[in-house]
Amino acid sequence: MNYESKIAGEDLDVSTLEDDNQDRNKRLLIIAAAVIAAIVLAAVAYQFFFGAGDTPPAENQAPVVTVVIPGKRDVVRTINATGTLAARREIPVGVVGEGGRVTQVYVDAGDWVKQGQVMASIDRSVQNQQIARLQASVASARADLNLAQANLDRAAKLVERGFISKADIDRLTATRDSNVAQLRVAQAQLGESRARNNFLNIVAPKGGFVLERNVEVGQTVSPGSGILFRLAQNGEMELQAQLSESDLANVSVGVSTEVIPVGTDKVLAGEIWQISPTIDTDSRQGTAKIALNYDRALRPGGFASTRIRSGSSQAAVLPESAVQNDSKGSFVYIVGKDDKVVRRDVTIGSVSAAGLSITAGLNGAERVVLRAAGFLNPGQTVKPVVEKDQAA
């Protein structure tokens, strides 16, 4: 019995050892298969990313960047500016005559007037009495003249008969001439009084649009009362656009503009009619005056923006994504013939829907990095890919 038990125990130990060896072999096979699979995958990946191995791996690791060759195109130079609206020719209207109490005001702010139109009248009751007195003086002087002329005519008929001496004729002639002078004086005084009465009416010196009314019925006015009305001659307005020295040098009289009053979406056509000959020493700006026809959207004293077309020029145009900025100014990255990144400082001109016009720094033939330039550094090697729809 003991021998059989021992034999059975030995058989059990041998079977256990065989099972352990089989498990170990399986694990080794699995590990070997995994290593072989990893090597195969690495080889496939290497072949996919680096080709057949002709190109060194360091060069294939260069980042791919999209570039554009902008070329040059006709760019309309546009200057954007703001300014104040005003009357092109503003006419202040005040009291011309002696003044007095205002009896009627016939126009108000916002009305149109014609040249010579009465805008307000002043009480003239006293002046009317003066006119009546002077008219009587004229009538009296004319009657005296008629009498003197009749006496002279009768004396002239009697002198031939010897009834009137030559001295009497001379005296009567002098009397007639004196009466003529007195009549002329009376007529001049009457004309002067009538002219003064006419000045009692406040009239429009020119036709135009009434901007202000500063007088009311019953108010007593005089030459020292100041401005009673303000007119915009013919309703013409202007925008006094403030431009920098460089922009002012690029505009001229006759250049067409577009004006947009603040608070409206109206686009009004204008034209530069005057350019300031001086520059403000504090703001370093000058004024370009833009003539505008009357429009209800134009309110003197208000603000407006303008777009001034100052001619066209050849320039490279880039999207905003291609242009970077730092403390030194605007710049772009270009890719040289050796595929290395180079910084190029540029000057930005006008901005339009097409992009930013580059007035200096590019000739249009460079390969300019279109996007992601912020992740590049000068001297870095890249793989440029030209954007087909924007290549020159």
Side-chain angles (χ1 to χ4, degrees):
M1 291 295 293
N2 294 333
Y3 175 79
E4 291 178 355
S5 300
K6 184 178 181 180
I7 295 299
E10 292 178 354
D11 292 340
L12 180 61
D13 293 339
V14 171
S15 175
T16 302
L17 291 173
E18 289 178 354
D19 291 340
D20 292 340
N21 290 334
Q22 289 178 356
D23 291 340
R24 186 180 299 108
N25 291 336
K26 287 181 181 180
R27 287 196 294 272
L28 290 174
L29 288 174
I30 292 173
I31 293 172
V35 170
I36 292 171
I39 293 173
V40 172
L41 289 176
V44 171
Y46 180 86
Q47 185 70 18
F48 179 79
F49 287 105
F50 302 112
D54 296 334
T55 305
E59 295 184 8
N60 280 283
Q61 291 177 358
V64 177
V65 296
T66 304
V67 298
V68 63
I69 303 175
K72 284 198 173 184
R73 66 179 76 175
D74 287 332
V75 177
V76 177
R77 179 180 174 84
T78 303
I79 298 173
N80 296 314
T82 59
T84 305
L85 294 168
R88 182 176 177 183
R89 299 293 186 190
E90 185 176 286
I91 304 175
V93 182
V95 176
V96 179
E98 298 175 353
R101 184 176 59 86
V102 177
T103 57
Q104 287 290 338
V105 179
Y106 302 101
V107 299
D108 208 339
D111 293 340
W112 288 87
V113 294
K114 298 180 179 179
Q115 183 175 359
Q117 179 178 336
V118 177
M119 303 172 69
S121 59
I122 296 176
D123 178 55
R124 59 184 66 195
S125 57
V126 175
Q127 288 81 358
N128 289 338
Q129 295 301 317
Q130 292 176 347
I131 292 291
R133 178 175 60 79
L134 292 174
Q135 286 175 336
S137 297
V138 170
S140 175
R142 182 173 288 110
D144 291 340
L145 174 60
N146 292 336
L147 178 59
Q149 185 64 50
N151 291 334
L152 180 59
D153 293 340
R154 284 193 295 269
K157 295 177 180 178
L158 295 175
V159 73
E160 297 177 355
R161 301 179 183 179
F163 296 105
I164 297 296
S165 65
K166 180 65 170 145
D168 293 333
I169 293 296
D170 292 340
R171 180 176 54 80
L172 293 173
T173 301
T175 301
R176 189 273 315 270
D177 293 342
S178 176
N179 289 333
V180 169
Q182 290 176 1
L183 176 61
R184 290 177 178 173
V185 169
Q187 289 174 334
Q189 291 174 343
L190 177 60
E192 178 186 359
S193 183
R194 284 175 173 170
R196 287 181 178 177
N197 279 7
N198 290 335
F199 286 143
L200 290 175
N201 288 332
I202 300 172
V203 301
K206 295 286 184 180
F209 184 71
V210 181
L211 300 175
E212 291 183 12
R213 164 186 162 175
N214 301 312
V215 62
E216 298 296 335
V217 175
Q219 180 179 344
T220 301
V221 295
S222 66
S225 298
I227 298 171
L228 304 183
F229 298 94
R230 288 186 184 273
L231 302 180
Q233 183 174 337
N234 300 324
E236 296 175 344
M237 302 292 177
E238 70 177 12
L239 173 64
Q240 299 171 354
Q242 300 298 312
L243 303 179
S244 65
E245 292 182 71
S246 58
D247 288 338
L248 206 64
N250 290 314
V251 299
S252 59
V253 174
V255 171
S256 60
T257 66
E258 293 178 347
V259 174
I260 305 174
V262 171
T264 71
D265 55 359
K266 282 190 174 183
V267 180
L268 306 176
E271 183 178 288
I272 296 178
W273 74 275
Q274 188 180 76
I275 297 175
S276 173
T278 60
I279 299 294
D280 186 88
T281 56
D282 295 327
S283 65
R284 310 307 305 173
Q285 290 184 325
T287 304
K289 295 185 178 181
I290 301 172
L292 299 165
N293 292 326
Y294 173 78
D295 190 278
R296 294 186 65 181
L298 299 175
R299 301 179 183 276
F303 287 93
S305 60
T306 181
R307 294 191 293 265
I308 305 173
R309 304 184 187 93
S310 61
S312 62
S313 60
Q314 290 280 323
V317 178
L318 293 174
E320 293 185 14
S321 62
V323 181
Q324 308 294 316
N325 292 278
D326 61 10
S327 59
K328 297 180 181 179
S330 301
F331 67 94
V332 297
Y333 281 132
I334 65 174
V335 179
K337 294 181 179 180
D338 55 356
D339 290 345
K340 292 185 180 297
V341 175
V342 179
R343 173 184 169 126
R344 181 72 62 84
D345 293 332
V346 296
T347 301
I348 299 175
S350 60
V351 180
S352 64
L356 309 177
S357 64
I358 308 301
T359 59
L362 295 177
N363 58 26
E366 299 90 347
R367 294 183 295 177
V368 181
V369 177
L370 188 60
R371 289 180 288 271
F375 298 98
L376 302 177
N377 295 307
Q380 183 177 354
T381 301
V382 297
K383 292 181 66 176
V385 176
V386 178
E387 182 120 331
K388 294 180 179 180
D389 59 349
Q390 293 196 32

